[in-house]
Amino acid sequence: METILKITNLHKKYRKVHAVNNVSVEIKKGNVYGILGPNGSGKSTTLGIVLNVVNKTSGEFEWFDGKYSTHDALKKVGAIIERPNFYPYMTAEDNLKLVCKIKDIPYTKVYEKLELVGLLERKDSKFKTFSLGMKQRLAIASALLNDPEILILDEPTNGLDPQGIRQIRDLIRIIANQGTTILLASHLLDEVEKVCSHVIVIRNGVTLYQGTVDGITANEGFFELESENLEQLKSALQHFSQIEKIEKDENKLLVYLNNNLEPAELNSHLFKQNITLTHLVKRKHSLEEQFLELTKH
Amino acid sequence: MIRLLSIELQKIWQNRSSKILTIIYFLSLTLLATVALIEFEFGPFKFRAAESGFFNFPYIWHFTTYVSSWLKIFLAVIIVSMIANEYSYGTLKQNLIDGMSKKEFLLSKIYTIILFSVVSTVLVFIISLILGLKYSSFTETGIIFSDLEYLFAYFLKHVAFFSFCLFLAILIKRSAFTLGFIFVWFLGENVGHAILKYNILGYKHGDKDTVVIDWVKDALPLESMANLIVEPFTRLNFVKSVTTTVGANFKYNYDVQPINVAIVLFWTCLFLFLSFYILKKRDL
């Protein structure tokens, strides 16, 4: 698969802070990546470096296998960082035309993209009259102007109201479904879980995990069981080799698996042992729980 | 180059205040021509600008380039605010993310500076030519097109001054502070020089310290730009005759001095280089 961005051993030191510490990441075409990390973890700095606005301290990064210089590569990239930055005194249309000039592409896509984000009727309004949600949508339109190889979104839903968040989320879905590679930095983990195929977890500038979303939530899940006699239940469970460990949580047993075990199989075995369950749930750790687990000290 | 210019001109032209300032600037330049219509009587003394000798070739080149270059402060405001805005709107960052290189960003500003300077120079040339042809006592081609180095000096002075503004705006990032700083710098060059010369060193005519300190002052950015075109008024015959009668004596060299051109070129290159260096080094 084609590599879009390759980061090798990237470091960024500010005077006292080591904001990015030996980050290596490879972004492949066609995948949707989520970058997760607490505030101040170095996500935005890393993105800033590959987007040519922050100088790296050491390490390398390479767009499109190094075929283009960074600024030419960025013409094929669509990126939104933090808040939407446009000229407040220009209309939506003029702002997009200016971006076309910078990217050296014709104006042909301006209306199409304004339509996509639902701002076509407001094309003649000045940017400063827009609500935050509209500004953010204009930023997405601008990032899509060149039908980019990759779309980079850094907290695109920050500060938006629920409607705004929904609109942006829907847009990201549409774009992802069109096969565009996406790099999404977000705190909304259920979002990332739903949209992304891969995740990169960063804390204090260090990469903690990178791989598929399934990989990070890759556990066979666990059962929550309740019954009259927990001791009896516990000993009856020894029968299953798929069980990794059993934890007691108040009057529940949390049964962790290392291999697949169907609830029906478990239930019928226990029933044969004369144990009736009052509660049986099979769950998986969500990305959020996994993320909090990974990033806690 | 056309691409970079059109990017920058869109940024300026669609901004209402920049647009108005640009219009005021070019209007004022054109209105300079109406100086010729000044006429007043003061008791027995009758003054008519058109007949005063201001508009004689080749003196007119000196006169118009000197007078109209004061107007460049309008353009300086535009240049400073167009840089400061890029910082405050966050659009510098966005431009870079959209695929402009830092070099292209700076070049788009420099091209604009050069364009403004060229247009001003051409405009001043045309206005002077028209005024001169109308009022000058001499209209021989050889005389008309002599002393054109004033136009070159005018152009250079603008490019240099705008580069100075560009550099300070990139350094300071705020337009009001930058404009204030330019003014303070201007005062600093003069006041600092005066204090050094008269208070600290103690002025004695022909003293070595005085010569050195005068020379240093002439090498400072704003002073060297000002020295490119020295004031033309004392060169006029009627002023000369007035002053000689009261005993004052002016020993100016009114020409454009090559050494000043060299100093100004040096500052211009330095300011542009430093602008690029700051842009390159600074994280956004």
Side-chain angles (χ1 to χ4, degrees):
Chain A
M1 214 171 357
E2 219 179 301
T3 303
I4 290 198
L5 171 65
K6 190 174 175 186
I7 301 177
T8 333
N9 307 105
L10 198 65
H11 286 270
K12 174 67 186 179
K13 287 179 192 155
Y14 293 103
R15 255 164 233 149
K16 282 181 186 158
V17 187
H18 203 154
V20 177
N21 188 352
N22 205 22
V23 167
S24 298
V25 172
E26 197 165 350
I27 305 292
K28 300 272 192 190
K29 193 180 170 111
N31 294 336
V32 178
Y33 292 84
I35 304 187
L36 309 179
N39 287 331
S41 59
K43 286 175 303 187
S44 298
T45 311
T46 309
L47 292 179
I49 292 172
V50 300
L51 291 174
N52 204 18
V53 292
V54 177
N55 295 307
K56 64 190 181 198
T57 307
S58 67
E60 294 302 325
F61 67 90
E62 198 179 74
W63 286 100
F64 307 108
D65 295 317
K67 273 182 276 180
Y68 310 98
S69 64
T70 304
H71 74 272
D72 278 332
L74 290 181
K75 294 194 170 81
K76 301 176 181 302
V77 173
I80 302 166
I81 283 210
E82 296 148 21
R83 63 195 177 90
N85 297 321
F86 289 100
Y87 296 89
Y89 53 85
M90 285 187 204
T91 65
E93 187 183 341
D94 286 332
N95 265 303
L96 292 191
K97 283 182 173 168
L98 188 72
V99 175
C100 286
K101 282 184 198 167
I102 290 174
K103 289 192 182 284
D104 217 355
I105 49 173
Y107 297 156
T108 43
K109 299 255 161 136
V110 169
Y111 285 178
E112 178 193 327
K113 301 303 174 191
L114 278 173
E115 173 126 52
L116 175 71
V117 300
L119 286 175
L120 195 55
E121 298 93 82
R122 294 297 302 274
K123 69 182 168 63
D124 294 322
S125 304
K126 289 194 172 155
F127 177 71
K128 63 182 168 201
T129 65
F130 281 12
S131 70
L132 183 60
M134 294 162 79
K135 287 178 176 173
Q136 196 62 284
R137 280 186 281 146
L138 184 65
I140 291 184
S142 151
L144 291 173
L145 270 178
N146 51 345
D147 290 320
E149 301 269 341
I150 177 172
L151 182 63
I152 297 178
L153 302 163
D154 189 1
E155 303 292 355
T157 50
N158 244 6
L160 296 184
D161 57 13
Q163 286 88 340
I165 293 178
R166 167 61 72 81
Q167 284 166 335
I168 300 289
R169 178 196 295 170
D170 291 345
L171 268 173
I172 294 175
R173 287 254 172 76
I174 294 170
I175 297 156
N177 288 337
Q178 289 167 349
T180 308
T181 312
I182 295 182
L183 191 57
L184 170 68
S186 177
H187 291 311
L188 301 174
L189 296 176
D190 56 327
E191 235 7 87
V192 171
E193 193 168 6
K194 277 177 208 149
V195 181
C196 297
S197 57
H198 290 66
V199 279
I200 298 156
V201 180
I202 298 181
R203 193 197 63 207
N204 295 339
V206 182
T207 331
L208 296 178
Y209 174 87
Q210 77 175 286
T212 59
V213 173
D214 293 338
I216 197 174
T217 51
N219 38 54
E220 293 300 329
F222 61 96
F223 285 107
E224 285 178 17
L225 302 177
E226 263 177 60
S227 133
E228 298 281 307
N229 187 334
L230 287 183
E231 286 310 310
Q232 197 190 356
L233 174 62
K234 198 171 177 179
S235 63
L237 287 170
Q238 303 301 332
H239 170 77
F240 294 102
S241 58
Q242 294 99 319
I243 292 174
E244 190 169 283
K245 58 173 179 174
I246 300 173
E247 273 174 16
K248 198 162 173 248
D249 176 27
E250 290 173 23
N251 52 356
K252 267 187 230 163
L253 285 187
L254 300 179
V255 181
Y256 293 92
L257 303 174
N258 53 20
N259 234 320
N260 189 31
L261 177 62
E262 291 302 321
E265 194 187 342
L266 178 92
N267 201 5
S268 81
H269 172 77
L270 292 174
F271 203 69
K272 279 177 204 149
Q273 305 282 321
N274 274 328
I275 300 169
T276 48
L277 295 169
T278 54
H279 177 86
L280 167 64
V281 174
K282 189 180 182 188
R283 283 185 54 197
K284 268 190 166 188
H285 272 316
S286 67
L287 182 59
E288 179 169 318
E289 285 161 309
Q290 288 294 111
F291 169 70
L292 292 174
E293 184 70 30
L294 262 174
T295 52
K296 79 178 178 201
H297 284 281
Chain B
M1 182 171 135
I2 299 293
R3 168 177 155 256
L4 294 178
L5 255 182
S6 102
I7 290 172
E8 192 54 45
L9 290 181
Q10 180 181 343
K11 290 177 189 172
I12 292 176
W13 196 245
Q14 292 185 346
N15 184 339
R16 189 183 294 156
S17 32
S18 300
K19 188 166 156 180
I20 291 174
L21 276 176
T22 316
I23 293 173
I24 291 181
Y25 171 75
F26 285 113
L27 267 184
S28 326
L29 257 191
T30 321
L31 285 179
L32 259 189
T34 56
V35 172
L37 305 177
I38 294 177
E39 254 176 69
F40 59 82
E41 278 179 43
F42 188 74
F45 183 71
K46 220 177 181 184
F47 179 81
R48 294 190 61 197
E51 287 169 7
S52 61
F54 281 123
F55 302 111
N56 280 338
F57 286 118
Y59 173 79
I60 186 170
W61 300 123
H62 188 177
F63 175 71
T64 48
T65 50
Y66 179 82
V67 172
S68 59
S69 84
W70 289 101
L71 292 171
K72 67 181 181 292
I73 202 75
F74 283 110
L75 288 186
V77 172
I78 297 178
I79 286 161
V80 166
S81 72
M82 81 188 179
I83 305 273
N85 282 347
E86 302 273 10
Y87 279 101
S88 58
Y89 299 153
T91 43
L92 166 56
K93 196 170 174 178
Q94 194 61 43
N95 284 174
L96 297 181
I97 291 172
D98 287 338
M100 222 177 181
S101 67
K102 289 178 173 174
K103 191 172 144 197
E104 281 181 326
F105 180 82
L106 191 65
L107 277 177
S108 77
K109 308 288 182 199
I110 296 175
Y111 289 155
T112 309
I113 285 177
I114 293 176
L115 180 75
F116 275 148
S117 307
V118 167
V119 172
S120 308
T121 310
V122 169
L123 210 56
V124 165
F125 172 77
I126 293 173
I127 291 167
S128 312
L129 196 64
I130 294 173
L131 282 179
L133 287 176
K134 196 148 186 250
Y135 299 110
S136 173
S137 322
F138 328 98
T139 46
E140 292 82 3
T141 324
I143 293 179
I144 291 178
F145 294 106
S146 57
D147 281 2
L148 283 184
E149 68 265 21
Y150 285 109
L151 282 171
F152 167 74
Y154 176 85
F155 170 75
L156 181 63
K157 191 173 170 178
H158 280 65
V159 173
F161 183 65
F162 296 150
S163 304
F164 180 63
C165 297
L166 175 84
F167 162 69
L168 286 179
I170 287 179
L171 183 71
I172 299 174
K173 301 196 262 188
R174 297 275 181 280
S175 47
F177 284 119
T178 307
L179 291 171
F181 189 82
I182 293 171
F183 184 65
V184 170
W185 182 291
F186 171 72
L187 289 183
E189 278 192 11
N190 290 291
V191 175
H193 167 256
I195 291 176
L196 259 178
K197 184 171 169 180
Y198 296 106
N199 282 15
I200 299 177
L201 296 174
Y203 173 71
K204 282 185 241 70
H205 184 73
D207 187 50
K208 197 170 144 234
D209 287 343
T210 308
V211 174
V212 170
I213 199 75
D214 281 350
W215 195 88
V216 167
K217 188 197 180 202
D218 284 346
L220 293 175
L222 290 180
E223 189 63 25
S224 60
M225 289 172 208
N227 287 341
L228 274 180
I229 303 178
V230 297
E231 57 80 25
F233 305 108
T234 49
R235 194 180 170 187
L236 266 185
N237 282 329
F238 83 92
V239 180
K240 265 188 194 155
S241 55
V242 169
T243 47
T244 39
T245 51
V246 295
N249 206 359
F250 291 97
K251 278 184 286 180
Y252 270 138
N253 185 339
Y254 296 97
D255 293 341
V256 178
Q257 306 287 329
I259 178 72
N260 281 329
V261 172
I263 294 171
V264 170
L265 275 174
F266 164 78
W267 284 118
T268 310
C269 295
L270 185 73
F271 290 139
L272 294 180
F273 171 77
L274 286 178
S275 304
F276 185 60
Y277 182 80
I278 295 176
L279 213 51
K280 197 97 188 160
K281 282 287 157 196
R282 195 185 268 162
D283 290 332
L284 294 165

